[in-house]
């Protein structure tokens, strides 16, 4: 992530991250679950309501048709009735008799209003009752429809007087009176109110709220409803609508199906609205949703409780491993990590333990090596292995040898001799190492040191000479110590030569020594021999080659040429008195 | 659906001169099929021709729970009897403006004669059997005839002069009529078209006495 990218809060502790991860995953999964279920519930509820509404509108149509069909059947019985025909045997039916007859039929058929019309629609008589004579107009309109209908019947909806809020919607039916069929001598008109009882009946059957509307195209008012007046008024059908939609009434969603009441004989617009509250439909689903919500919270809590334990279970051994690593880094390989686990972390701990064993083994080898060879040689051996071979290189060889030590040692116990010698070697060897040289070997009471191998260094001549000067000081300090101990003092001579020699591991494949081979080694040894000669009376003698290789400034005395054993040519000898 | 039938009247011309002319009327619907039971009649326009009802009453019988004939043209003043030749009672009635009457439940030959004293169509029914229907067409002219199964009707004995030819049928939609002149020289041919309403007669009830279950 770039620094300009989204910055997420960084949690250093693994446990915290794991906790957050698990809780987040659980939260996302559960929330998605909840949202999906909620959405699906709502969709299903709307689907169910839609289906109910479709069934409801069918039911309404069937109910209205069935009611009218039944009435139509009864009216047919009436129209074929002998007594009705009797009325028409007179030139003009007697109005009072017609009224009485219709009243009788009204009761027999269970309708609130009946009218008898001539074939041309003119009034013969009616039952009166709730409808005034003006209510006949829609029947007359229906007669015109019935005249041309195959079954000589017509039906429709009408809003009948009185005008105003007390006016009602009616189902109208017109059937013929035959004398005999197909001769129509009169029409019977019937009106069935679409009243509250009918709305309640529909509601009981369809389990839907039922509202009937009537009004102009733009403004429709509820005339009957199973809903509260206000709700019914708020969900009045929109202009010229026929379909299903969700209407928001007082914050509650009602899925509503509108269906126009057709044919409508009187002017205006009439419609039935079937409704169901979405909330009511969702009641059973809400329980599931509440349960899911509880489940969501419970899983979050469970995740929050379990995750830290799990994280701790993981991070604790990791921290132990980290601590163990630090212990190993400090070089302590003795401590073993103890984790009783079979998983990857357990495998890691086992691998760590093996590693520390391996490291301990290597250290032991290294330690031994260090004590037997110089650290540089040991490092090279560790690095390159014990390969035989060598390389030619310029080095400075230093020989230091105790004078008269054999004679001195004769007056001491062997153990004392070894102790003293080791004490002396310890000081001198330390100085060699300080100046980046290596102790090539101890030859009796002599030390052979090499500067410039196995690690190549530019100032090997200076290092050798400085080491020699330092050795002199160290010897003085050692002698002071010896004097306080009441012992005889020591003296030595140092020969230094710089030369190209062969450096490498010398020996058999079973036993090797890192050393140098070449004439230059002998020259250094001979120079050391020369320090004993009185004509030189010097502790540090160097060759001309060393003098040339030196870069620092020293107090050097030219002692002239001196013959050396094993060489035909005399060697130029210089004494180093000290550093400037 | 309303089926519309066009009745075409062909008044065939006669070549021979006669003292009294004849108008032959052939009725056909638009598909060319003959239309029976149409009453074709002519009304004299020059001077009214008195009608003489027949001395014997005309009979419209009830047989097999049907009226026979289906259409009966008569002149004003004709007496009609309704002999019942079924073994069930009938209750013949009419509420038509031209003649309102009823003969309550009866059986047998002998019934009172009904005098049709006003011109116009009269629909007959039976209060017991809804499907029974017949028509009496009461005319104030002596010149009429009813089309047969072949759709043809001959109006005979017409003195020369101007007439109005009209056709009536139980399902007649609208009025059909035209003027025609009967010449001294012989028979006249006239063509008149009419429209019929769909036939809406109801089916008769299944025979209650039948027990031939299958």
């Amino acid at each position: 992530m770039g620094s300009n990218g989204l910055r997420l809060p960084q949690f250093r502790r693994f446990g915290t991250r794991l906790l957050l991860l698990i809780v987040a995953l659980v939260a996302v999964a559960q929330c998605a679950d909840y949202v999906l279920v909620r959405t699906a519930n709502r969709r299903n509820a709307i689907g169910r309501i839609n289906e109910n509404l479709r069934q409801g509108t069918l039911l309404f149509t069937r109910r209205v048709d069935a009611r009218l069909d039944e009435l139509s059947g009864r009216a047919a019985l009436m129209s074929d009735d002998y007594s009705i025909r009797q009325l028409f045997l007179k030139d003009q039916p007697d109005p009072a008799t017609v009224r009485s007859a219709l009243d009788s039929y009204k009761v027999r058929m269970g309708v609130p209003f009946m009218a008898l019309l001539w074939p041309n629609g003119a009034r013969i008589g009616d039952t009166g009752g709730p409808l005034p004579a003006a209510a006949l107009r829609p029947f007359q309109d229906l007669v015109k429809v019935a005249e041309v209908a195959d079954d000589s019947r017509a039906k429709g909806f009408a809003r009948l007087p009185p005008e105003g809020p007390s006016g009602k919607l009616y189902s109208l039916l017109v059937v013929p009176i035959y004398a005999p069929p197909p001769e129509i001598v009169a029409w019977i008109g019937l009106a069935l109110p679409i009243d509250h009882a009918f709305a309640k009946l529909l509601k009981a059957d369809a389990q839907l709220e039922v509202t009937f509307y009537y009004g102009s195209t733009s403004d429709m008012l509820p005339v009957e409803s199973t809903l509260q007046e206000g709700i019914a008024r708020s969900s009045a059908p929109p202009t010229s609508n026929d379909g299903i939609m969700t209407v928001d009434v007082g914050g509650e969603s009602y899925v509503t199906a509108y269906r126009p009441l057709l044919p409508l004989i009187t002017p205006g617009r009439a419609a039935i609205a079937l409704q169901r509250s979405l909330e009511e439909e969702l009641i059973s689903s809400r329980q599931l949703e509440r349960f899911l919500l509880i489940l969501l919270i419970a899983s979050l809590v469970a995740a929050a409780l379990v995750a830290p334990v799990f994280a701790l279970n993981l991070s604790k051994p990791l921290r132990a491993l980290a601590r163990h690593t630090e212990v190993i880094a400090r070089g302590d390989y003795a401590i073993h990590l103890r984790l009783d686990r079979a998983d990857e972390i357990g495998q890691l701990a086992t691998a760590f333990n093996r590693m520390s064993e391996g490291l301990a083994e290597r250290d032991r080898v290294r330690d031994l090596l260090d004590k037997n060879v110089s650290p540089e040689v040991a490092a090279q051996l560790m690095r390159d292995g014990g390969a035989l071979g060598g390389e030619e290189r310029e080095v400075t060889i230093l020989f230091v040898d105790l004078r008269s030590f054999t004679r001195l040692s004769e007056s001491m116990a062997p153990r004392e001799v070894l102790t003293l010698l080791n004490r002396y070697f310890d000081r001198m060897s330390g100085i060699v190492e300080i100046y980046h040289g290596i102790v090539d070997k101890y030859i009796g009471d002599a030390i052979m040191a090499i500067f410039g191998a196995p690690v190549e260094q530019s100032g090997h001549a200076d290092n050798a000479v400085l080491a020699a000067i330092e050795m002199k000081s160290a010897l003085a300090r050692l002698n002071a110590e010896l004097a306080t101990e009441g012992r005889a003092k020591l003296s030595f001579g140092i020969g230094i030569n710089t030369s190209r020699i062969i450096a490498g591991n010398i020996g058999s494949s079973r036993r090797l020594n890192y050393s140098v081979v070449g004439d230059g080694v002998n020259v250094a040894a001979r120079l050391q021999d020369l320090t004993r000669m009185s004509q030189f009376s010097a502790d540090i003698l160097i060759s001309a080659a060393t003098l040339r290789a030196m870069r620092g400034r020293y107090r050097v005395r030219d002692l002239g040429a001196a013959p050396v054993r094993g060489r035909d040519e005399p060697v130029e000898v210089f004494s180093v008195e000290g550093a400037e | 659906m309303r089926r519309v039938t066009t009745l075409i009247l062909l008044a065939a011309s006669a070549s021979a001169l006669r003292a009294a002319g004849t108008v032959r009327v052939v009725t056909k619907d638009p598909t060319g099929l003959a239309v029976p039971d149409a009453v074709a009649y002519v009304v004299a326009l020059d001077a009214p021709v008195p009608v003489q009802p027949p001395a014997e009453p005309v009979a419209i019988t009830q047989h097999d729970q049907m009226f026979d004939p289906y259409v009966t043209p008569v002149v004003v003043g004709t007496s009609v009897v309704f002999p019942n030749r079924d073994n069930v009672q009938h209750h013949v009635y009419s509420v038509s403006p031209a003649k309102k009457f009823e003969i309550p439940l009866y059986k047998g030959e002998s019934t009172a004669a009904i005098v049709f004293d006003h011109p116009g169509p009269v629909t007959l029914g039976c209060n017991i059997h809804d499907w029974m229907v017949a028509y009496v067409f009461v005319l104030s002219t002596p010149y009429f005839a009813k089309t047969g199964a072949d759709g043809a009707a001959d109006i005979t004995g017409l003195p020369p002069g101007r007439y109005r030819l009209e056709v009536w049928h139980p399902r007649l939609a609208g009025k059909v009529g035209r003027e025609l002149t009967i010449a001294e020289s012989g028979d006249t041919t006239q063509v008149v078209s009419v429209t019929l309403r769909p036939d809406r007669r109801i089916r008769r009830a299944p025979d209650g006495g039948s027990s031939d279950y299958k």
Side-chain angles (χ1 to χ4, degrees):
Chain A
M1 283 265 128
S3 56
N4 53 351
L6 180 64
R7 264 196 181 278
L8 291 169
Q10 297 287 311
F11 296 100
R12 288 192 56 193
R13 288 178 67 89
F14 176 70
T16 315
R17 272 192 262 173
L18 194 63
L19 168 70
L20 286 174
L21 180 70
I22 291 175
V23 169
L25 283 178
V26 168
V28 165
Q30 293 287 342
C31 286
D33 202 19
Y34 178 75
V35 169
L36 283 178
V37 166
R38 208 181 146 86
T39 311
N41 277 345
R42 198 182 156 84
R43 201 171 47 234
N44 289 345
I46 289 178
R48 278 199 305 278
I49 295 176
N50 282 352
E51 184 52 35
N52 276 2
L53 292 176
R54 266 190 290 280
Q55 297 291 336
T57 49
L58 280 179
L59 187 73
F60 163 73
T61 311
R62 278 202 300 271
R63 271 213 166 275
V64 169
D65 285 350
R67 228 158 60 125
L68 292 180
D69 284 349
E70 192 193 331
L71 276 182
S72 178
R74 290 188 198 175
L77 281 178
M78 166 190 162
S79 69
D80 289 340
D81 196 351
Y82 172 57
S83 55
I84 271 285
R85 283 184 193 138
Q86 288 282 71
L87 291 173
F88 295 95
L89 284 172
K90 297 263 166 42
D91 280 345
Q92 276 299 324
D94 176 47
T97 311
V98 168
R99 172 72 182 264
S100 301
L102 288 178
D103 280 343
S104 298
Y105 282 113
K106 186 174 93 172
V107 173
R108 277 190 224 169
M109 297 175 67
V111 293
F113 180 81
M114 283 182 76
L116 204 56
L117 306 170
W118 287 115
N120 63 6
R123 176 178 175 275
I124 302 171
D126 60 57
T127 56
L131 294 174
L136 288 181
R137 169 60 67 78
F139 288 104
Q140 288 159 349
D141 292 338
L142 274 182
V143 163
K144 291 191 184 74
V145 178
E147 271 173 350
V148 294
D150 276 347
D151 59 353
S152 300
R153 277 147 211 259
K155 60 192 174 187
F157 297 97
R159 159 101 161 180
L160 297 184
E163 294 297 334
S166 53
K168 271 197 170 78
L169 276 173
Y170 288 83
S171 291
L172 299 192
L173 173 69
V174 161
V175 295
I177 293 180
Y178 294 116
E183 296 302 316
I184 296 166
V185 293
W187 299 96
I188 301 170
L190 302 162
L192 270 175
I194 292 180
D195 53 9
H196 197 66
F198 184 57
K200 270 165 67 180
L201 189 72
L202 267 183
K203 182 185 175 178
D205 279 358
Q207 296 297 305
L208 294 165
E209 301 295 343
V210 179
T211 307
F212 293 99
Y213 291 94
Y214 183 82
S216 61
T217 307
S218 58
D219 182 30
M220 295 184 88
L221 288 174
V223 285
E224 285 298 346
S225 181
T226 56
L227 285 167
Q228 289 174 346
E229 167 77 16
I231 294 175
R233 194 179 287 270
S234 304
S235 38
T239 309
S240 68
N241 192 274
D242 176 14
I244 293 180
M245 62 182 59
T246 306
V247 182
D248 196 49
V249 180
E252 209 176 331
S253 289
Y254 283 87
V255 184
T256 309
Y258 296 108
R259 200 187 174 91
L261 300 182
L262 293 174
L264 182 68
I265 313 302
T266 45
R269 199 154 72 98
I272 178 175
L274 296 167
Q275 293 179 297
R276 177 138 173 90
S277 160
L278 190 57
E279 281 309 310
E280 263 177 57
E281 187 68 33
L282 280 170
I283 282 174
S284 55
S285 307
R286 289 281 180 254
Q287 281 174 340
L288 176 67
E289 284 165 22
R290 268 197 297 280
F291 177 71
L292 275 180
L293 205 59
I294 292 166
L295 198 66
L296 191 158
I297 293 163
S299 8
L300 281 179
V301 169
L305 290 176
V306 167
V309 174
F310 185 63
L312 202 64
N313 192 24
L314 208 56
S315 64
K316 208 167 141 187
L318 287 178
R319 277 205 298 276
L321 272 171
R323 277 197 304 275
H324 189 63
T325 310
E326 280 167 21
V327 168
I328 289 172
R330 282 200 301 271
D332 187 350
Y333 308 124
I335 296 174
H336 265 236
L337 192 61
R338 200 169 287 279
L339 290 177
D340 288 332
R341 310 173 60 126
D343 58 6
E344 287 86 341
I345 293 172
Q347 289 168 15
L348 186 61
T350 308
F352 254 76
N353 285 337
R354 284 208 197 104
M355 185 185 78
S356 63
E357 280 163 19
L359 286 172
E361 182 71 23
R362 205 183 87 158
D363 259 26
R364 272 198 301 280
V365 170
R366 175 77 178 264
D367 205 36
L368 275 173
L369 209 56
D370 273 354
K371 282 171 184 161
N372 285 283
V373 300
S374 72
E376 283 80 359
V377 174
Q380 198 187 13
L381 281 174
M382 296 291 286
R383 192 170 62 244
D384 299 342
L388 291 167
E391 49 186 341
E392 192 184 321
R393 100 141 51 120
E394 191 182 71
V395 299
T396 300
I397 305 116
L398 180 150
F399 269 89
V400 56
D401 190 20
L402 284 173
R403 288 176 194 146
S404 319
F405 189 71
T406 313
R407 204 178 58 237
L408 182 70
S409 60
E410 282 168 1
S411 60
M412 294 164 68
R415 181 183 285 269
E416 269 187 299
V417 171
L418 203 61
T419 305
L420 179 61
L421 205 53
N422 281 347
R423 201 166 155 191
Y424 162 74
F425 280 158
D426 196 46
R427 307 284 172 97
M428 298 307 130
S429 300
I431 293 164
V432 169
E433 279 169 24
I434 288 169
Y435 289 93
H436 310 299
I438 63 162
V439 172
D440 181 72
K441 58 179 73 85
Y442 299 101
I443 310 159
D445 54 8
I447 300 169
M448 177 183 165
I450 303 164
F451 294 83
V455 181
E456 205 168 356
Q457 44 185 266
S458 52
H460 50 84
D462 292 84
N463 281 341
V465 170
L466 287 171
I469 294 167
E470 180 63 33
M471 280 174 177
K472 236 179 120 177
S473 309
L475 185 66
R477 285 195 296 276
L478 181 62
N479 281 336
E481 287 171 28
L482 291 173
T484 57
E485 292 166 20
R487 292 173 191 272
K489 69 173 190 175
L490 300 173
S491 68
F492 63 30
I494 295 172
I496 298 170
N497 181 36
T498 298
S499 172
R500 292 196 78 77
I501 45 82
I502 304 297
N505 291 312
I506 298 160
S508 70
S509 60
R510 278 191 297 278
R511 184 173 164 76
L512 286 171
N513 261 340
Y514 184 85
S515 193
V516 292
V517 181
D519 188 44
V521 180
N522 296 329
V523 172
R526 297 298 166 258
L527 285 173
Q528 189 273 134
D529 285 344
L530 288 177
T531 59
R532 291 178 191 165
M533 296 177 74
S534 58
Q535 66 191 84
F536 294 111
S537 71
D539 292 331
I540 305 167
L541 292 181
I542 64 172
S543 67
T546 301
L547 186 68
R548 279 195 301 276
M550 289 180 342
R551 290 171 197 162
R553 296 175 66 81
Y554 309 90
R555 290 195 306 276
V556 176
R557 204 154 43 92
D558 188 351
L559 298 180
V564 294
R565 191 158 41 99
R567 285 183 80 98
D568 296 338
E569 295 290 315
V571 175
E572 272 193 286
V573 182
F574 300 87
S575 161
V576 176
E577 307 292 327
E580 277 196 350
Chain B
M1 243 316 260
R2 183 164 181 185
R3 199 160 58 85
V4 174
T5 308
T6 304
L7 179 70
I8 301 162
L9 299 174
L10 297 169
S13 71
S15 53
L17 278 169
R18 286 188 199 165
T22 296
V23 175
R24 166 157 264 237
V25 179
V26 178
T27 55
K28 285 184 178 174
D29 70 4
T31 61
L33 290 176
V35 178
D37 292 323
V39 178
Y41 60 100
V42 294
V43 179
L45 295 177
D46 298 329
V49 179
V51 292
Q52 182 62 50
E56 287 298 309
V58 175
I60 298 173
T61 63
Q62 292 119 70
H63 175 66
D64 196 19
Q65 296 172 22
M66 299 277 275
F67 285 114
D68 183 31
Y70 176 50
V71 172
T72 307
V74 298
V75 294
V76 171
T78 303
S79 291
V80 179
V81 290
F82 299 91
N84 178 359
R85 293 179 186 153
D86 282 324
N87 54 5
V88 294
Q89 291 185 321
H90 290 298
H91 184 150
V92 180
Y93 71 89
S94 164
V95 296
S96 300
K99 187 67 190 176
K100 293 175 189 282
F101 74 96
E102 65 171 328
I103 309 168
L105 294 170
Y106 71 98
K107 204 156 80 169
E109 293 286 328
S110 174
T111 63
I114 303 294
V115 179
F116 289 78
D117 41 12
H118 286 91
V122 175
T123 308
L124 305 177
C126 170
N127 258 330
I128 307 299
H129 307 99
D130 284 344
W131 62 89
M132 287 176 67
V133 62
Y135 296 90
V136 176
F137 192 65
V138 187
L139 296 148
S140 47
T141 173
Y143 311 120
F144 62 88
K146 188 173 80 169
T147 59
D150 59 351
D154 290 325
I155 305 171
T156 57
L158 291 171
R162 293 192 305 119
Y163 295 90
R164 178 170 180 81
L165 170 64
E166 292 199 5
V167 170
W168 178 88
H169 187 273
R171 290 187 283 128
L172 181 68
K175 245 174 132 61
V176 172
R178 67 176 49 190
E179 287 188 17
L180 63 89
T181 302
I182 302 297
E184 295 269 353
S185 52
D187 299 346
T188 312
T189 301
Q190 292 296 322
V191 177
V192 184
S193 296
V194 294
T195 305
L196 292 188
R197 289 195 309 264
D199 190 355
R200 290 213 176 105
R201 275 180 287 180
I202 63 168
R203 287 184 182 189
R204 64 179 290 171
D207 188 356
S210 171
S211 60
D212 48 343
Y213 285 108
K214 302 267 155 84

